């Protein structure tokens, strides 16, 4: 891939992370004013219809047995569970704290790939994962007055997201992106219904006019974010583009400061620095190992004349 492709992909990734940060802001305000479960049902329904139509335009079928294959079913369940946990956490803890904990996701994916997919992970990356988890503990601060138990919901959501990403790796490559995204949005609907049942909350039939801008904003920014992150991963080199995911925390902190009056303290900043630093090291290490493997393979190929 050319440098221009990577540049374009990095800009798309930055745009997608900004969109997701705005989505989190809109979701937090919606889930605080309304029942989080109902918010999930509404977002999931409209998003599923949108991507279903997009999939149909590409000739990708949604109602197919492949949606119930073990890997696809696991991915959908993990997506729904992650959404349930994440939106609940958004309604309970500061947006900036939520965003900081979310940055541990790549580390959990690396750990899961080593434990369940038998991918080789050396002591350096295991050390980086440990440092990242120390950063998570610093953000959470268990055993202190600043500890917010609802933060564990975000941690659980990160684990579910990692399981979703690992199950994606086990799926056939010919399954379309719009198929995957539609199945993901469909899975959010029963997750939202389950959350409403758990909370014992009845749906609000007449939504106040003041809530519609946040609901519509969450839907639009979520759709834009999904499109941009998919385009980024297809246009650019994954190892080059992936680190730009950490920009989501920067956007989230700025929005939380401007619109919610949050002020991240030194503990959250220090913990975030450890999480992001260890994640960046992991990405760099993986990129270096892939480059070495590629050069090793090329050196063994006989030269043809």
């Amino acid at each position: 891939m050319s440098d221009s492709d990577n540049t374009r992909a990095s800009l798309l990734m930055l745009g997608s992370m900004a969109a997701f940060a705005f989505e989190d802001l809109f979701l937090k305000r919606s889930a605080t004013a309304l029942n989080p479960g109902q918010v999930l049902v509404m977002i999931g329904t409209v998003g599923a219809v949108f991507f279903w139509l997009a999939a149909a335009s590409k000739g990708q079928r949604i109602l197919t047995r492949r949606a119930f294959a073990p890997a696809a079913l696991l991915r959908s369940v993990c997506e729904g569970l992650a959404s349930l946990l994440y939106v609940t956490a958004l309604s309970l803890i500061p947006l900036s704290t939520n965003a900081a904990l979310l940055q541990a996701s790549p580390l959990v994916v690396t750990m899961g790939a080593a434990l369940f997919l038998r991918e080789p992970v050396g002591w350096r990356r295991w050390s980086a994962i440990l440092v990242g988890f120390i950063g998570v503990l610093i953000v959470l601060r268990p055993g202190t007055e600043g500890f917010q138990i609802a933060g564990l919901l975000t941690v659980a959501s990160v684990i579910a997201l990692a399981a979703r990403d690992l199950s994606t790796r086990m799926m056939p490559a010919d399954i379309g992106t719009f198929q995957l995204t539609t199945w993901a949005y469909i899975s959010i609907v029963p997750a939202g219904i389950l959350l409403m049942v758990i909370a014992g909350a009845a749906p609000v039939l007449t939504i106040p006019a003041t809530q519609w801008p946040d609901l519509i904003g969450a839907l639009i920014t979520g759709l834009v974010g999904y499109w941009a992150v998919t385009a980024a991963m297809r246009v650019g080199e994954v190892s080059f583009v992936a680190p730009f995911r950490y920009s989501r925390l920067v956007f989230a902190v700025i929005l939380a400061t401007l619109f919610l009056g949050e002020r991240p303290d030194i503990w959250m900043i220090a913990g975030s620095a450890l999480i992001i630093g260890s994640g960046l090291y992991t990405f760099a290490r993986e990129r270096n190992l892939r480059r070495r493997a590629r050069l090793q393979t090329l050196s063994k190929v006989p030269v043809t004349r």
Side-chain angles (χ1 to χ4, degrees):
M1 293 183 181
S2 65
D3 290 340
S4 60
D5 285 336
N6 281 335
T7 300
R8 187 154 61 97
S10 63
L11 292 175
L12 283 168
M13 182 62 79
L14 285 171
S16 71
M17 293 302 105
F20 283 138
F22 271 101
E23 181 192 26
D24 285 346
L25 172 65
F26 293 135
L27 281 177
K28 180 173 179 60
R29 295 201 301 203
S30 296
T32 302
L34 302 171
N35 180 271
Q38 182 172 353
V39 173
L40 281 179
V41 171
M42 296 174 69
I43 297 294
T45 300
V46 179
V49 170
F50 177 87
F51 280 109
W52 197 320
L53 294 174
S57 70
K58 299 287 185 180
Q60 299 175 8
R61 294 176 58 199
I62 300 303
L63 298 178
T64 171
R65 290 182 180 178
R66 305 186 81 182
F68 298 95
L73 197 57
L74 175 61
R75 186 185 191 279
S76 296
V77 170
C78 290
E79 183 78 54
L81 179 61
S83 300
L84 184 154
L85 294 166
Y86 188 69
V87 171
T88 303
L90 266 178
S91 67
L92 297 173
I93 64 175
L95 175 62
S96 53
T97 301
N98 213 54
L101 295 172
L102 189 65
Q103 305 313 306
S105 183
L107 298 173
V108 179
V109 170
T110 300
M111 183 178 70
L115 295 177
F116 300 107
L117 301 182
R118 303 302 181 192
E119 292 187 9
V121 174
W123 67 269
R124 293 180 180 85
R125 280 185 289 171
W126 276 115
S127 299
I129 291 171
L130 177 61
V131 171
F133 287 162
I134 291 173
V136 170
L137 289 175
I138 291 175
V139 173
L140 286 175
R141 283 171 282 175
T144 69
E145 290 184 1
F147 175 58
Q148 294 176 302
I149 194 168
L152 296 177
L153 293 173
T154 307
V155 175
S157 174
V158 166
I159 295 172
L161 287 172
R164 178 204 64 184
D165 291 344
L166 292 173
S167 61
T168 303
R169 297 187 187 184
M170 298 184 289
M171 298 180 68
D174 62 330
I175 292 181
T177 301
F178 287 124
Q179 284 176 298
L180 286 175
T181 308
T182 305
W183 294 339
Y185 269 100
I186 289 174
S187 70
I188 294 174
V189 177
I193 294 173
L194 176 61
L195 185 56
M196 292 177 69
V197 171
I198 293 173
V204 178
L205 300 180
T206 305
I207 297 175
T210 54
Q211 297 305 315
W212 281 109
D214 284 332
L215 288 169
I216 295 172
L219 177 65
I220 294 174
T221 51
L223 295 177
V224 170
Y226 261 106
W227 172 83
V229 74
T230 301
M233 299 306 281
R234 285 185 166 179
V235 170
E237 186 181 354
V238 174
S239 58
F240 180 88
V241 176
F244 287 92
R245 286 179 179 271
Y246 290 115
S247 62
R248 181 172 181 170
L249 176 58
V250 177
F251 292 123
V253 169
I254 292 173
L255 293 176
T257 301
L258 292 177
F259 295 100
L260 302 176
E262 295 180 13
R263 295 293 184 272
D265 59 21
I266 188 63
W267 295 105
M268 203 212 83
I269 294 172
S272 299
L274 284 179
I275 295 170
I276 292 177
S278 58
L280 290 174
Y281 175 82
T282 301
F283 281 129
R285 181 67 181 166
E286 288 177 358
R287 187 179 186 186
N288 188 38
L289 290 173
R290 287 197 190 99
R291 185 178 299 159
R292 280 191 203 172
R294 196 181 307 124
L295 291 174
Q296 216 169 27
T297 302
L298 290 174
S299 66
K300 294 178 181 178
V301 175
V303 178
T304 57
R305 298 183 183 274

